[in-house]
Amino acid sequence: MALSSDRTAAAFPLLLLPLLLSSLPYSAAATDSGRLFPAGVQYEYELTTTVLAGGSSDNRDPAVGHRVVGRLLVTNLWPATDTAGDKLLRLHLKSPKLQTWSKKSKNDINRQFINRKSKIDRFSDQPFFVHWRKGHIENMYISSTNSLTEENFKKGIAGLLQFQLSNQHAVEYSTLGECNVTYSKINENSVSKVIDGCTLPTTLPPEIKHPDKIWQGSLRSKREGLLIYNYESLVDVSLDENHEFSTSFMNEVGASVSSKQHIELKETKPNDDIIEANTLKEAIRQLEKQLKLKLEKQNLSPKHEVKNCKHYNSCNKLDEVVNNYHDSLLDSELGKSKSAYGAIKVINAIINSDTKTIKKVLTDKKNEDIAVQLYDLLGAALNENSHKASMETLDFTDAKSVEKIERYLWSASINFNPKIEIIKSLLSINDEKIANKKVLDTLFNTVTAMASRLARYNHTETNVLLSGELVVKTLERLEKCKLDDDECILTYIRALSNLKHPLSVEMLLTFAQHGNRMTSAYAMKTIKMFGPGFWDSRVLKYCNRIFFQLFKEQDSSTRTIALAILLESDPDYDLLKHVVKWLATPGEGYEIKQYALELLKEMANQNETSARLLRTVLVRERLNHYGSMAQRGLSSCFSRKFINYNNITGLVKNSQQVYSGVTKRGSVDIVLGHNDVKYDLCSFGMYTTGLGYFTSLYDDSGKTDTSDEANLPATAGLELVVFGVHIRPFIMFSNQGQLMGHVWAGTGSDKTPIIQGISQMIEHLEYVPLSNGITAELNVKGMLSLDISGQIEMSLWNKNAQTVIEKNGGISIQGSLKLDTDLVTDEVDFALITEGLLHMHSDAEFATKIVVCMRIVFVDTNVTTTVSKSEKVHGLHHKSYTTTTRTHPVSGRTFALNQMVNEFCNIIHSR
């Protein structure tokens, strides 16, 4: 049926409606943004930019900050005639003023900002221009200024005019860098703006971040904006951002910064300033002629303002800093928080000093008593100047310099960010010039540890190649060692443990299976240190052979380490069945069976899946009886939690493999866990041989020990692993004569240092660009001052002995969040100091039978946090400063080992 002409006319718009709707999003986006800022009109806005800096969210003290107010004039000078929608906007900031908090107002939300005289009064009164295209700022054109602060501030203003007026995702470039931006339309005249996923501007210096997140801390950022507009202009624009940093250890230790930019339309005026030009380039040339200025084309990336102590000519001279903190670096302060706190102050001064200045401090006679600690800090700083000063003042041929050399090398080996030039410098030291074997051992372990860290944390082709070359070199040297030269073999096995390279696994397995009792245990321990990532089917097959002695009779330490690897590798039903059946065999030594049982219990405590499987094995195989599950002996293996806070768990892991009533091999490890990732903080181990005097007293089985262990020479040594780096062992005695010499001389009756040193565990430098053009600098350092010492008293007359080993660690974390410009400096300093005191006590009586009481004690301590906020207006005496200090007590605890040790403790202490 045909429509009448009237009905056809009425229906025609309806026929076009689907086509109009399909094109609406594009049309709305283009027309909405394109219609704003028409030519011939000047828009005047009230501008407010506010910056506040304070502590973390758990620190509620008032923030410090400032704001800038002024009038912003916006005019479209050149409306392009093509369809690209280009515009050239003139922006003119009039009468800017800097404002800070009034000291007269209360420190609460009612505080008022007041005007201050500042360098902003000397900002140029020249306009600047932006190339605007479809809501994006393509470039900015600005005349030269005397201040980067002014340039960056104007870039922040220009960024406010970057917007879209429809629902969409966009990529924008601004003072924040390259960011993902989501626009969401709220109603017909307002749009929300959410910014995330920003890539830092390339104009900022490189950041320094520890690859392990537990040492980085966390930065949480939020950036949101709101745009309100009418038919032809933006009416109100606000952009808020908040950034909060806190350490992984305590939420209270950190800082925050917030920024808010706001422009509000006040009035519009007609304006006849219009440039007739065919291209943007031609329009810019006409502007330069009119204004008689040279306009520089720039993007919105902020220019980095170098604002350090050298800029302000206020560097603390190294000699003054060392003098101020001299007493903090004394030997008596090692292992305490005072030592770690002072170390950070000195290391900051070292970083800002040249080689000549560092050498002068090192050779100053008044620093002789802290010279060793200064070399600790040079190794922690590990830059070109500090290394050059160390190499020019250390004599590798002088026996008197051994302690200084080793302390420098130990500290350098732990540094997470070594330089390849420094590694090559250390490699160039000729081995023939080093007379001391300890120094040679430490030097090689240092370069291998540094090369390994460099390859893992900075995975470039050059760094990986250097690490690979050192692996090959180490394997070659290991093959040249004589079979009976344990010292040579162990030196290079330790180097392999630092390198952690797959190429070394084959050689380590060979030593584990065919080496003597010392080298086989070291090789197997190294494979365990490598971690599960290296434990493939071949490694597990070897571990199975070694533990069950399928190839030959093996050292008990090697066997127990092999079993630990098997039980930490998701053991299957058959393995657990064979291990439990083995516990019931009568021919094995009771101490190794006791230790194996302890490993099974520890596996069940740490892994619920394996625990269920073990219970299934015990029930199905009918093995849950005294013959297998009730072993006798002093050997123990357990872990106890001492920290559970802020997604961080701290474990103390104790392992004591006893032979004839004496610890044959033992260790106490401190392990931190963060988001299911484990970090080995330090491991303190001890080994002994040949102390068979106690055998007849402790072993009441009536059997004579026919193993080689009973006839080995008397030896004892200490092993230390710090942040995954294997330190050379410390030999206490290596024969019976040396042992008795210590006993008769009472050498250990006084507290004796075993190892001391100051190391850097945290170095973090991060930049947080703000939308207003200011870049916040976040700088954090953390130091560990370590003192491990021991004391032993033995009475052959009373037939008893008391031993104390103290692991004392002083920790200091200091950080700052600084917003430093030519106008004003706002800074938040935060700090944490604490001490970790882990003491191991051992009381023994051997009059008629060995009775040994062992205790592991965490001593009461405090965690002290400090937050300081300051503000300085440059050119004025105006300065504000506040400090808040809080102390958190941490209760100590004593860890139980096992029931037999508890019974022995009750016997001894009851007397």
Side-chain angles (χ1 to χ4, degrees):
M1 186 170 84
L3 292 171
S4 68
S5 58
D6 289 340
R7 293 178 66 188
T8 301
F12 185 73
L14 295 177
L15 296 174
L16 291 178
L17 184 60
L19 181 61
L20 291 171
L21 290 175
S22 66
S23 63
L24 183 59
Y26 173 79
S27 301
T31 57
D32 280 356
S33 60
R35 75 181 184 224
L36 301 187
F37 301 119
V41 182
Q42 175 179 282
Y43 300 90
E44 184 172 341
Y45 295 89
E46 182 178 75
L47 167 72
T48 305
T49 296
T50 307
V51 182
L52 297 176
S56 64
S57 59
D58 294 326
N59 186 301
R60 300 298 181 184
D61 294 336
V64 295
H66 67 275
R67 74 181 184 186
V68 175
V69 298
R71 309 286 280 189
L72 177 65
L73 309 181
V74 181
T75 308
N76 180 10
L77 300 179
W78 177 72
T81 55
D82 55 24
T83 58
D86 290 53
K87 295 179 181 181
L88 182 62
L89 301 181
R90 178 179 65 194
L91 281 63
H92 198 169
L93 180 61
K94 304 290 289 185
S95 305
K97 288 292 181 184
L98 176 71
Q99 298 181 339
T100 66
W101 294 121
S102 170
K103 289 185 177 180
K104 295 180 180 179
S105 57
K106 296 181 180 180
N107 289 330
D108 55 23
I109 58 174
N110 296 319
R111 291 191 298 172
Q112 300 295 318
F113 280 104
I114 62 172
N115 290 340
R116 302 284 185 185
K117 290 183 178 181
S118 70
K119 293 182 180 180
I120 201 171
D121 301 327
R122 299 197 294 269
F123 273 14
S124 65
D125 192 32
Q126 296 292 340
F128 57 103
F129 307 88
V130 296
H131 176 201
W132 187 95
R133 174 184 290 175
K134 293 183 178 179
H136 293 281
I137 303 297
E138 299 293 324
N139 287 296
M140 187 173 88
Y141 296 86
I142 187 171
S143 59
S144 62
T145 65
N146 296 321
S147 168
L148 291 180
T149 299
E150 180 180 346
E151 282 190 27
N152 291 336
F153 182 67
K154 289 180 176 179
K155 289 179 180 182
I157 294 173
L160 286 172
L161 302 182
Q162 190 157 229
F163 58 87
Q164 301 296 323
L165 302 181
S166 62
N167 296 329
Q168 61 176 282
H169 298 283
V171 175
E172 292 183 354
Y173 300 85
S174 66
T175 57
L176 305 175
E178 180 182 343
C179 302
N180 299 318
V181 185
T182 300
Y183 290 94
S184 303
K185 199 156 187 176
I186 299 173
N187 53 46
E188 63 181 21
N189 66 341
S190 60
V191 176
S192 69
K193 180 178 183 177
V194 177
I195 304 172
D196 59 13
C198 293
T199 302
L200 282 181
T202 56
T203 52
L204 296 178
E207 297 183 320
I208 299 174
K209 291 184 180 181
H210 199 291
D212 296 330
K213 290 187 177 180
I214 192 172
W215 309 118
Q216 290 182 8
S218 60
L219 178 68
R220 297 169 293 278
S221 299
K222 184 179 182 180
R223 297 181 173 105
E224 294 180 336
L226 177 65
L227 300 91
I228 301 174
Y229 59 97
N230 58 22
Y231 181 75
E232 63 176 19
S233 66
L234 293 175
V235 176
D236 190 288
V237 179
S238 61
L239 184 57
D240 295 358
E241 54 183 318
N242 295 280
H243 308 273
E244 182 183 343
F245 174 85
S246 61
T247 63
S248 298
F249 302 98
M250 294 190 74
N251 286 333
E252 300 94 325
V253 183
S256 61
V257 58
S258 64
S259 166
K260 180 171 184 177
Q261 286 182 283
H262 182 224
I263 57 173
E264 182 180 1
L265 183 62
K266 290 302 180 182
E267 64 176 318
T268 59
K269 296 179 181 179
N271 188 288
D272 297 331
D273 294 339
I274 297 177
I275 296 177
E276 299 290 340
N278 294 323
T279 63
L280 176 68
K281 192 173 183 180
E282 184 180 340
I284 295 296
R285 281 201 301 265
Q286 290 189 34
L287 273 176
E288 289 179 327
K289 288 181 180 179
Q290 289 179 12
L291 300 173
K292 296 181 180 180
L293 293 173
K294 177 64 178 176
L295 297 177
E296 180 185 352
K297 179 180 177 181
Q298 297 185 16
N299 57 29
L300 295 187
S301 295
K303 290 185 178 179
H304 180 58
E305 301 184 62
V306 182
K307 304 293 185 182
N308 52 29
C309 61
K310 293 179 181 178
H311 173 82
Y312 291 121
N313 195 26
S314 61
C315 285
N316 293 320
K317 295 180 180 179
L318 180 59
D319 57 348
E320 294 177 357
V321 176
V322 171
N323 184 61
N324 291 337
Y325 293 95
H326 176 277
D327 292 348
S328 299
L329 300 181
L330 291 171
D331 289 348
S332 59
E333 299 299 328
L334 288 170
K336 301 177 182 177
S337 58
K338 181 180 178 181
S339 173
Y341 183 86
I344 293 180
K345 303 298 184 182
V346 175
I347 199 174
N348 285 332
I350 289 174
I351 292 171
N352 288 313
S353 300
D354 57 25
T355 303
K356 183 179 179 181
T357 302
I358 297 172
K359 288 175 62 178
K360 181 180 177 182
V361 170
L362 287 173
T363 56
D364 194 330
K365 288 187 177 181
K366 66 182 181 182
N367 295 326
E368 284 182 357
D369 54 348
I370 60 169
V372 179
Q373 279 74 265
L374 289 177
Y375 280 104
D376 285 337
L377 302 184
L378 293 178
L382 206 63
N383 60 20
E384 182 182 352
N385 290 332
S386 65
H387 179 68
K388 188 176 179 181
S390 300
M391 292 299 98
E392 292 179 1
T393 54
L394 290 172
D395 186 355
F396 281 76
T397 63
D398 183 12
K400 296 180 180 179
S401 300
V402 169
E403 185 179 11
K404 295 177 183 177
I405 294 170
E406 288 202 298
R407 290 277 284 268
Y408 175 73
L409 293 174
W410 286 332
S411 184
S413 68
I414 295 170
N415 190 294
F416 85 92
N417 190 28
K419 310 295 187 296
I420 192 168
E421 295 80 13
I422 294 177
I423 298 175
K424 290 181 177 179
S425 169
L426 293 174
L427 281 171
S428 67
I429 299 174
N430 195 328
D431 292 352
E432 297 176 359
K433 293 182 179 180
I434 305 175
N436 191 291
K437 289 186 177 181
K438 294 179 180 178
V439 173
L440 190 62
D441 188 338
T442 300
L443 176 62
F444 199 76
N445 274 276
T446 296
V447 294
T448 51
M450 292 170 71
S452 175
R453 286 174 180 267
L454 190 65
R456 282 183 287 134
Y457 295 158
N458 188 8
H459 198 74
T460 65
E461 184 177 349
T462 302
N463 295 342
V464 172
L465 181 62
L466 176 62
S467 177
E469 290 174 350
L470 277 172
V471 173
V472 174
K473 185 177 182 179
T474 305
L475 292 173
E476 289 175 350
R477 291 191 177 190
L478 186 55
E479 288 180 346
K480 292 179 180 179
C481 291
K482 296 179 181 179
L483 293 178
D484 60 347
D485 190 352
D486 288 356
E487 187 176 354
C488 177
I489 292 172
L490 296 180
T491 294
Y492 297 113
I493 288 182
R494 283 191 293 272
L496 292 178
S497 75
N498 288 335
L499 284 165
K500 293 182 176 62
H501 200 283
L503 284 176
S504 61
V505 173
E506 185 70 28
M507 178 72 78
L508 292 170
L509 287 173
T510 300
F511 273 102
Q513 183 163 289
H514 301 289
N516 61 32
R517 63 176 306 280
M518 180 70 78
T519 58
S520 65
Y522 250 89
M524 186 54 69
K525 181 182 177 182
T526 298
I527 293 173
K528 189 173 188 303
M529 285 180 63
F530 281 8
F534 287 79
W535 302 341
D536 56 16
S537 58
R538 178 173 174 78
V539 171
L540 297 180
K541 184 178 180 181
Y542 266 82
C543 290
N544 191 76
R545 287 179 181 176
I546 289 170
F547 174 69
F548 290 107
Q549 302 188 112
L550 302 179
F551 185 76
K552 71 165 191 173
E553 192 171 318
Q554 299 283 350
D555 172 70
S556 59
S557 295
T558 307
R559 294 177 67 192
T560 53
I561 299 171
L563 178 61
I565 292 175
L566 291 171
L567 296 182
E568 291 179 25
S569 302
D570 296 325
D572 58 19
Y573 185 94
D574 286 340
L575 175 65
L576 294 180
K577 179 182 72 173
H578 288 124
V579 171
V580 178
K581 283 185 174 181
W582 170 84
L583 289 173
T585 58
E588 293 283 358
Y590 58 86
E591 285 291 4
I592 188 174
K593 290 197 291 184
Q594 172 67 37
Y595 191 81
L597 180 61
E598 294 285 315
L599 286 175
L600 284 171
K601 292 178 180 178
E602 179 64 11
M603 175 202 70
N605 288 334
Q606 299 298 323
N607 189 318
E608 180 57 35
T609 302
S610 296
R612 286 196 300 268
L613 186 59
L614 177 60
R615 289 193 293 268
T616 303
V617 168
L618 294 175
V619 173
R620 288 184 182 177
E621 304 295 333
R622 299 182 179 180
L623 294 171
N624 194 19
H625 52 71
Y626 284 103
S628 57
M629 304 305 290
Q631 302 297 326
R632 59 186 287 262
L634 291 174
S635 296
S636 64
C637 177
F638 66 84
S639 62
R640 299 287 187 268
K641 190 175 292 186
F642 67 94
I643 293 177
N644 188 12
Y645 176 80
N646 196 25
N647 294 323
I648 290 182
T649 57
L651 294 177
V652 54
K653 300 175 70 174
N654 176 70
S655 170
Q656 302 291 330
Q657 185 187 349
V658 176
Y659 172 78
S660 298
V662 180
T663 297
K664 176 187 177 184
R665 181 172 290 276
S667 67
V668 176
D669 305 341
I670 306 297
V671 180
L672 297 180
H674 182 250
N675 294 333
D676 298 326
V677 180
K678 292 183 178 180
Y679 302 91
D680 296 317
L681 190 60
C682 71
S683 172
F684 177 78
M686 182 174 68
Y687 64 89
T688 66
T689 63
L691 300 183
Y693 168 76
F694 303 112
T695 302
S696 60
L697 297 175
Y698 178 65
D699 189 357
D700 57 1
S701 63
K703 296 181 180 180
T704 303
D705 188 354
T706 60
S707 69
D708 292 339
E709 296 193 45
N711 302 315
L712 290 171
T715 62
L718 303 172
E719 301 168 339
L720 185 65
V721 180
V722 181
F723 295 112
V725 177
H726 211 130
I727 308 297
R728 70 160 180 83
F730 296 83
I731 308 301
M732 293 186 287
F733 52 85
S734 57
N735 56 57
Q736 192 78 20
Q738 290 181 4
L739 169 60
M740 295 311 296
H742 287 303
V743 172
W744 294 118
T747 309
S749 298
D750 297 325
K751 185 177 176 181
T752 305
I754 299 171
I755 183 171
Q756 297 174 317
I758 307 174
S759 304
Q760 183 168 260
M761 60 182 185
I762 298 175
E763 183 181 11
H764 187 86
L765 177 63
E766 186 171 2
Y767 296 98
V768 185
L770 305 178
S771 57
N772 56 25
I774 299 175
T775 299
E777 181 183 288
L778 180 64
N779 199 336
V780 186
K781 281 188 172 63
M783 302 296 290
L784 169 67
S785 178
L786 187 66
D787 176 31
I788 300 178
S789 57
Q791 181 177 353
I792 180 169
E793 295 182 3
M794 179 180 290
S795 172
L796 296 180
W797 179 263
N798 296 316
K799 297 188 182 301
N800 61 23
Q802 296 83 37
T803 303
V804 178
I805 296 179
E806 298 183 357
K807 298 173 68 175
N808 298 330
I811 296 173
S812 177
I813 300 174
Q814 297 175 41
S816 67
L817 180 70
K818 183 181 290 187
L819 296 94
D820 208 351
T821 68
D822 285 343
L823 298 178
V824 61
T825 297
D826 294 308
E827 183 171 2
V828 178
D829 296 310
F830 50 93
L832 175 150
I833 58 171
T834 188
E835 294 173 355
L837 312 176
L838 177 64
H839 296 173
M840 293 176 286
H841 300 263
S842 177
D843 299 305
E845 294 183 356
F846 45 91
T848 57
K849 181 180 178 181
I850 282 289
V851 181
V852 180
C853 170
M854 296 179 63
R855 290 168 293 149
I856 298 178
V857 180
F858 262 105
V859 182
D860 290 348
T861 188
N862 290 314
V863 177
T864 301
T865 61
T866 303
V867 178
S868 302
K869 286 161 272 191
S870 63
E871 181 177 64
K872 168 66 177 174
V873 177
H874 299 299
L876 288 181
H877 294 298
H878 171 79
K879 187 175 183 178
S880 62
Y881 185 87
T882 60
T883 299
T884 303
T885 300
R886 293 182 173 88
T887 299
H888 310 260
V890 179
S891 300
R893 64 195 69 184
T894 300
F895 299 110
L897 273 71
N898 55 38
Q899 184 176 352
M900 180 176 288
V901 172
N902 289 345
E903 292 174 357
F904 285 164
C905 288
N906 291 335
I907 292 172
I908 290 178
H909 292 157
S910 67
R911 298 170 185 167

